[in-house]
Amino acid sequence: MFSIPFLDIAALQSATGTVQLPGSKSISNRVLLLAALCEGQTTVLHDVLASDDTDAMLTALQTLGCEIERQAQQVRITGLDRQSLPAQAQLHLGNAGTAMRPLTAALALLVGPGQAFELTGVARMQERPIGDLVDALRQLGCAIDYLKNPGFPPLALRAADPQKLQASGSIQIRGDVSSQFLTAMLMALPLVAKERDYVIEVVGELISKPYIAITLNLLARFGIVVRNDNWQRFTIAAGSRYQSPGQLHVEADASSASYLVALGGIASDPALGQAITIEGVGEDSIQGDIRFIDAARQMGVHVETGPNWLRVQRGQWPLKAIDIDGNHIPDAAMTLAVMALYAEGTTRITNIASWRVKETDRIDAMVNELSKLGAVVDSGPDWISVAPPAADAWRSASIATYDDHRVAMCFSLAAFNPASVAVRIEDPRCVGKTFPDYFEALFALAQPKPNAVPVICIDGPSASGKGTLAAHVAKQLGFHVLDSGALYRVAGVAARQRGLDIAPEHAPALADVARSLQLVFDGERVLLDGRDVAAAMRSDAGSRDASLISAIPAVRDALLQWQRERAALPGLVADGRDMGTVVFPDAPLKVFLTASAEHRAERRYKQLISQGFDVKLASLREELEARDLRDTTRAVAPLKPAVDAKVLDNSDLSVAEATEQVLQWWRQAYAGAAFATLGHD
Ligand SMILES: Nc1ncnc2c1ncn2[C@@H]1O[C@H](COP(=O)(O)OP(=O)(O)OP(=O)(O)O)[C@@H](O)[C@H]1O
Ligand SMILES: Nc1ccn([C@H]2C[C@H](O)[C@@H](COP(=O)(O)O)O2)c(=O)n1
């Protein structure tokens, strides 16, 4: 997961490959709660989504006394014992609507005399309505108080009035704001439907019916059969009792699939043999958002399906603009608004009022962010229309994500824009709500446009702090790191292991060694042919050999391609001596990092002493100056600043100050003026 302030996505060209989707959030949080409601029974849930929202549910259930064992995607839950619920509990549910609504209903019915539960969430959760659910529960005699604003969390729950609970067999609930209210009632009522039927009457048009269908399907798996009269009246029969299915497999997330279906439709050209294969969810999914594939097909995308997979390729291009009622696919429909950027004409998505009460006001969010890219966007209370920018009207944009995972994921698709303008996703960590590794999955499937992967070069003399600075800058940007010095060090070790003298007359053999290095960088370990050579390559002899072998032109040539191939999405910070002059001459930012010999010798001295080496400052300084001389005077790729490098003397700078300087240069160099005013400068 990218836990960084922003993620720059390079201009992307195409996409192909296979992706295994994470588990469905809607199913995961429902079955976690249903399993917890199976009093005393154990359920093993497989392929459960690991995300912020499921963490919120699991933590709440544990606080309530549920026994939970979690191993990767498998969760073993023993149902709550009503008698051992705590007297008091405070549940923080983040921004997880699928935890807040059903837990409110279940706990409002479970809370006993003398007990009190509080349910709260992040600031946005405190703006998301829950009044219709509370009104429905109050009809049953539930005692629920608003702790801040009427109609919104946080809530306080106390024991229901038992007489009223018995008396009221019919409950009315609004269905036109969020289907989660009805889901919550459907999941809670089996807890009390012992001796009589409970009937739920839906007031107003029920939205997002497919989500209710998921709830009914899962209730049936847990032994509760609900009578559904035309989506207006639901009956939970007397004698209903939760019964664990023992084991249950969670389908992959159909809403998350929408980004990858769109990816295939935008970027997988069948003429080039490209396709996106999505594993874990197929056309027979119980999730309503699977119907997104119909909308994608209408736009011209080619989608094949099987029992548990989808295969997607670009069909018609540009895509066809569509006019669609998005009510049945409220979450996935957001992806259509970004696909509209690649369509001919104006796409209109209607009947999506629920977007306004999701993680953010999604209609406003989409209008704001699509407009930044140059699209022509209009909207109303429950609709949005999007016309793509003209070819020359695309603008680079820093996309605000409003702590909304879906905004972040769908706007990543804008990086395929024909103008190759930069796309920055702010706060990319928000995808942790449902698809923590979304960007990793995207980068594994997508190919950048030629030379589009951004590279930051940090060259400079020994012990100037290149490696340290490279690691800090890369961490801030979510980029990969290339320590090219390590490559020459390993080449030296490999040559010695093969009994070769490191001298110019052995250049062809040394180049062969360099070309065939079998290398794995694994944290502190460096595996050469499977054996850790980190200590050998960092020894004095290792440093000398690296300096000698790096002066041999054939060796440098042999290692050139390998280094260039390290430039992978989302970007690379490369440190060495010739990163800016030879390996990545077109890099948008080149830094030549230097410091006085005195400072550098002192830093290296402290570094080695802290690692337990017995060294002398004076001899270290002599060796360092000798190495500087060799590196700067050698015939091939000598150490020198590239003509367009920015020189940074960090003699009197801390690592944090030097990092900030490079990031500032980066913001100017890569994103340019487009992002200068957008909050990171
Ligand atoms: N700005 C700085 N101020 C103080 N110390 C620093 C600074 N930058 C790096 N150092 C320290 O200097 C030492 C050498 O840094 P580092 O190993 O990153 O240098 P390098 O240029 O990559 O060296 P080499 O070329 O030998 O690989 C480390 O102990 C590091 O913590
Ligand atoms: N791009 C590079 C990187 C390193 N070298 C040489 C310079 C050093 O003598 C040796 C080890 O480098 P270090 O780990 O100290 O950065 O490799 C080079 O020539 N070109």
XYZ file of all heavy atoms in Angstrom, residues 449-500:
368
model
N 4.190 4.576 -21.174
C 4.619 5.045 -22.502
C 6.147 5.071 -22.512
O 6.771 5.150 -21.436
C 4.041 6.429 -22.760
C 2.530 6.348 -22.977
C 1.937 7.610 -23.533
C 0.456 7.349 -23.838
N -0.408 8.493 -23.579
N 6.774 5.014 -23.715
C 8.248 4.965 -23.750
C 8.859 6.121 -22.961
O 8.426 7.271 -23.098
C 8.565 5.089 -25.249
C 7.320 4.608 -25.930
C 6.166 4.959 -25.047
N 9.842 5.809 -22.173
C 10.576 6.788 -21.349
C 9.703 7.576 -20.386
O 10.075 8.649 -19.946
C 11.343 7.788 -22.238
C 12.366 7.086 -23.085
O 13.024 6.162 -22.605
N 12.467 7.469 -24.335
N 8.523 7.045 -20.078
C 7.626 7.818 -19.200
C 7.884 7.589 -17.715
O 7.512 8.424 -16.899
C 6.175 7.476 -19.517
N 8.516 6.451 -17.376
C 8.709 6.193 -15.938
C 9.660 7.246 -15.383
O 10.779 7.414 -15.877
C 9.305 4.790 -15.700
C 9.631 4.596 -14.222
C 8.327 3.726 -16.153
N 9.221 7.979 -14.382
C 10.083 9.035 -13.863
C 11.275 8.478 -13.092
O 11.137 7.533 -12.317
C 9.154 9.821 -12.937
C 8.059 8.876 -12.579
C 7.909 7.925 -13.716
N 12.431 9.059 -13.368
C 13.654 8.634 -12.679
C 14.309 9.863 -12.043
O 14.407 10.913 -12.674
C 14.647 7.976 -13.666
C 15.939 7.604 -12.943
C 14.023 6.743 -14.322
N 14.703 9.705 -10.798
C 15.484 10.747 -10.122
C 16.883 10.189 -9.944
O 17.056 9.109 -9.355
C 14.885 11.093 -8.745
C 13.462 11.625 -8.911
C 15.768 12.110 -8.020
C 12.758 11.934 -7.589
N 17.882 10.888 -10.488
C 19.264 10.422 -10.355
C 19.944 11.154 -9.211
O 19.814 12.382 -9.095
C 20.037 10.725 -11.639
S 19.356 9.900 -13.070
N 20.641 10.402 -8.393
C 21.437 11.027 -7.330
C 22.860 10.493 -7.458
O 23.141 9.338 -7.114
C 20.857 10.728 -5.931
C 19.409 11.246 -5.861
C 21.727 11.379 -4.852
C 18.724 11.064 -4.524
N 23.726 11.309 -8.044
C 25.127 10.929 -8.207
C 25.973 11.735 -7.243
O 25.539 12.784 -6.735
C 25.573 11.220 -9.655
C 24.943 10.241 -10.639
O 25.072 9.022 -10.419
O 24.315 10.697 -11.623
N 27.178 11.252 -7.035
C 28.076 12.020 -6.177
C 29.177 11.147 -5.622
O 29.171 9.921 -5.806
N 30.129 11.761 -4.959
C 31.284 11.006 -4.456
C 30.924 10.113 -3.278
O 29.832 10.227 -2.710
C 32.256 12.116 -4.029
C 31.392 13.287 -3.729
C 30.214 13.193 -4.654
N 31.859 9.287 -2.952
C 31.688 8.312 -1.870
C 31.297 8.992 -0.558
O 31.830 10.045 -0.209
C 33.045 7.623 -1.704
O 32.858 6.368 -1.192
N 30.370 8.377 0.130
C 29.934 8.813 1.473
C 29.324 10.213 1.499
O 29.263 10.852 2.539
C 31.068 8.716 2.474
N 28.857 10.670 0.362
C 28.183 11.978 0.375
C 26.755 11.839 0.900
O 26.090 12.834 1.159
C 28.181 12.592 -1.028
O 27.574 11.701 -1.942
N 26.289 10.610 1.021
C 24.938 10.397 1.547
C 23.934 10.055 0.469
O 22.716 10.135 0.690
N 24.420 9.611 -0.701
C 23.520 9.319 -1.824
C 22.501 8.239 -1.474
O 21.306 8.395 -1.721
C 24.322 8.833 -3.051
C 25.371 9.778 -3.544
C 26.130 9.207 -4.709
C 26.876 7.925 -4.379
N 27.965 8.093 -3.389
N 23.023 7.147 -0.910
C 22.128 6.019 -0.593
C 21.066 6.429 0.407
O 19.880 6.105 0.255
N 21.489 7.173 1.414
C 20.551 7.609 2.451
C 19.493 8.527 1.846
O 18.287 8.360 2.073
C 21.327 8.367 3.550
O 22.408 7.534 3.969
C 20.441 8.707 4.718
N 19.960 9.484 1.044
C 19.023 10.440 0.436
C 18.084 9.714 -0.537
O 16.867 9.957 -0.546
C 19.819 11.520 -0.303
C 19.017 12.616 -0.982
C 18.211 13.413 0.037
C 19.958 13.574 -1.756
N 18.640 8.799 -1.331
C 17.816 8.065 -2.302
C 16.700 7.314 -1.575
O 15.534 7.345 -1.988
C 18.677 7.095 -3.109
N 17.052 6.669 -0.465
C 16.043 5.890 0.268
C 14.950 6.804 0.820
O 13.757 6.474 0.747
C 16.717 5.121 1.396
N 15.338 7.962 1.331
C 14.328 8.881 1.901
C 13.420 9.450 0.824
O 12.201 9.529 0.997
C 15.017 10.018 2.665
C 15.426 9.622 4.054
N 16.497 8.791 4.306
C 14.892 9.915 5.261
C 16.609 8.603 5.614
N 15.643 9.268 6.214
N 14.015 9.848 -0.285
C 13.198 10.427 -1.370
C 12.255 9.357 -1.927
O 11.063 9.593 -2.142
C 14.113 10.996 -2.485
C 13.308 11.366 -3.718
C 14.887 12.206 -1.961
N 12.790 8.153 -2.132
C 11.972 7.073 -2.698
C 10.796 6.755 -1.775
O 9.680 6.507 -2.228
C 12.822 5.829 -2.920
N 11.043 6.783 -0.487
C 9.964 6.463 0.467
C 8.835 7.487 0.354
O 7.652 7.136 0.364
C 10.548 6.443 1.879
C 9.592 5.947 2.906
C 10.304 5.487 4.159
C 9.254 4.982 5.143
N 9.265 5.663 6.381
N 9.208 8.737 0.219
C 8.188 9.796 0.123
C 7.364 9.691 -1.146
O 6.199 10.064 -1.169
C 8.863 11.183 0.132
C 9.394 11.594 1.479
C 8.268 11.805 2.487
O 7.298 12.481 2.195
N 8.379 11.184 3.646
N 7.990 9.201 -2.218
C 7.286 9.159 -3.506
C 6.749 7.771 -3.842
O 6.063 7.595 -4.843
C 8.226 9.625 -4.627
C 8.717 11.077 -4.521
C 9.780 11.361 -5.584
C 7.554 12.052 -4.677
N 7.073 6.788 -3.020
C 6.640 5.415 -3.302
C 7.424 4.789 -4.443
O 6.959 3.847 -5.084
N 8.628 5.317 -4.730
C 9.410 4.844 -5.871
C 10.314 3.664 -5.476
O 10.588 3.429 -4.307
C 10.313 5.980 -6.387
C 9.587 7.009 -7.227
C 8.204 7.050 -7.302
C 10.308 7.953 -7.953
C 7.543 8.004 -8.071
C 9.666 8.910 -8.721
C 8.288 8.939 -8.781
N 10.811 2.974 -6.487
C 11.830 1.939 -6.286
C 13.191 2.626 -6.114
O 13.352 3.796 -6.466
C 11.898 1.010 -7.496
C 10.580 0.383 -7.838
N 10.088 -0.713 -7.191
C 9.641 0.719 -8.759
C 8.907 -1.038 -7.696
N 8.613 -0.175 -8.643
N 14.177 1.837 -5.642
C 15.531 2.379 -5.470
C 16.511 1.509 -6.246
O 16.401 0.285 -6.235
C 15.935 2.360 -3.974
C 17.367 2.831 -3.807
C 15.006 3.239 -3.148
N 17.452 2.153 -6.920
C 18.568 1.420 -7.525
C 19.855 1.905 -6.870
O 20.219 3.076 -7.003
C 18.618 1.683 -9.040
C 19.910 1.232 -9.741
C 20.108 -0.270 -9.635
C 19.895 1.657 -11.207
N 20.536 0.999 -6.174
C 21.848 1.308 -5.599
C 22.868 0.719 -6.561
O 23.237 -0.451 -6.466
C 21.935 0.656 -4.204
C 23.324 0.768 -3.597
O 24.216 1.352 -4.235
O 23.518 0.260 -2.473
N 23.293 1.543 -7.524
C 24.142 0.987 -8.586
C 25.525 0.616 -8.060
O 26.178 -0.280 -8.604
C 24.247 1.962 -9.756
O 24.801 3.182 -9.317
N 25.953 1.295 -6.984
C 27.245 0.930 -6.394
C 27.226 -0.519 -5.942
O 28.207 -1.253 -6.099
N 26.075 -0.936 -5.413
C 25.956 -2.316 -4.943
C 26.175 -3.291 -6.096
O 26.730 -4.383 -5.917
C 24.576 -2.532 -4.325
N 25.757 -2.878 -7.269
C 25.896 -3.745 -8.443
C 27.377 -3.990 -8.762
O 27.796 -5.127 -9.025
C 25.193 -3.037 -9.613
C 24.834 -3.848 -10.818
C 23.952 -5.020 -10.427
C 24.092 -2.953 -11.814
N 28.157 -2.887 -8.718
C 29.596 -3.048 -8.983
C 30.259 -3.833 -7.853
O 31.181 -4.615 -8.082
C 30.253 -1.677 -9.171
C 29.820 -1.060 -10.484
C 28.859 -0.060 -10.529
C 30.345 -1.526 -11.687
C 28.428 0.474 -11.725
C 29.921 -0.996 -12.905
C 28.956 0.004 -12.912
O 28.534 0.499 -14.108
N 29.755 -3.631 -6.646
C 30.322 -4.381 -5.521
C 30.062 -5.890 -5.706
O 30.954 -6.711 -5.521
C 29.712 -3.901 -4.198
C 30.226 -2.542 -3.765
C 29.500 -2.016 -2.543
N 29.939 -0.668 -2.219
C 30.952 -0.378 -1.394
N 31.610 -1.355 -0.799
N 31.297 0.875 -1.165
N 28.844 -6.238 -6.080
C 28.539 -7.667 -6.270
C 29.338 -8.229 -7.435
O 29.832 -9.363 -7.382
C 27.025 -7.890 -6.521
C 26.725 -9.369 -6.680
C 26.207 -7.342 -5.392
N 29.482 -7.414 -8.483
C 30.263 -7.890 -9.637
C 31.688 -8.225 -9.190
O 32.260 -9.243 -9.616
C 30.262 -6.831 -10.737
N 32.241 -7.379 -8.317
C 33.592 -7.635 -7.796
C 33.634 -8.940 -7.014
O 34.526 -9.779 -7.211
N 32.661 -9.148 -6.154
C 32.616 -10.381 -5.349
C 32.496 -11.596 -6.276
O 33.195 -12.606 -6.111
C 31.422 -10.342 -4.356
C 31.245 -11.691 -3.671
C 31.613 -9.232 -3.331
N 31.626 -11.484 -7.272
C 31.401 -12.619 -8.191
C 32.681 -12.945 -8.948
O 33.029 -14.120 -9.141
C 30.267 -12.280 -9.155
N 33.403 -11.897 -9.359
C 34.654 -12.130 -10.093
C 35.644 -12.881 -9.204
O 36.272 -13.854 -9.635
C 35.233 -10.790 -10.541
N 35.769 -12.439 -7.971
C 36.688 -13.124 -7.046
C 36.259 -14.576 -6.825
O 37.099 -15.474 -6.807
C 36.702 -12.417 -5.685
C 37.348 -11.056 -5.692
C 38.849 -11.152 -5.891
N 39.431 -9.808 -5.963
C 40.550 -9.515 -6.592
N 41.241 -10.444 -7.232
N 41.006 -8.277 -6.601
N 34.945 -14.774 -6.667
C 34.454 -16.154 -6.432
C 34.828 -17.071 -7.589
O 35.047 -18.255 -7.426
C 32.934 -16.154 -6.263
C 32.475 -15.744 -4.885
C 30.956 -15.794 -4.754
O 30.237 -16.047 -5.733
N 30.479 -15.541 -3.549
N 34.922 -16.486 -8.795
C 35.278 -17.311 -9.965
C 36.792 -17.326 -10.194
O 37.265 -17.748 -11.247
C 34.554 -16.791 -11.196
C 33.071 -17.140 -11.172
C 32.292 -16.300 -12.157
N 30.862 -16.576 -12.161
C 30.006 -16.283 -11.187
N 30.453 -15.726 -10.079
N 28.721 -16.560 -11.300
N 37.528 -16.760 -9.226
C 38.988 -16.803 -9.298
C 39.580 -15.845 -10.307
O 40.717 -16.032 -10.757
N 38.846 -14.824 -10.691
C 39.351 -13.885 -11.706
C 40.069 -12.716 -11.058
O 39.617 -12.175 -10.050
C 38.178 -13.331 -12.520
C 37.572 -14.245 -13.575
C 36.276 -13.639 -14.099
C 38.571 -14.418 -14.715
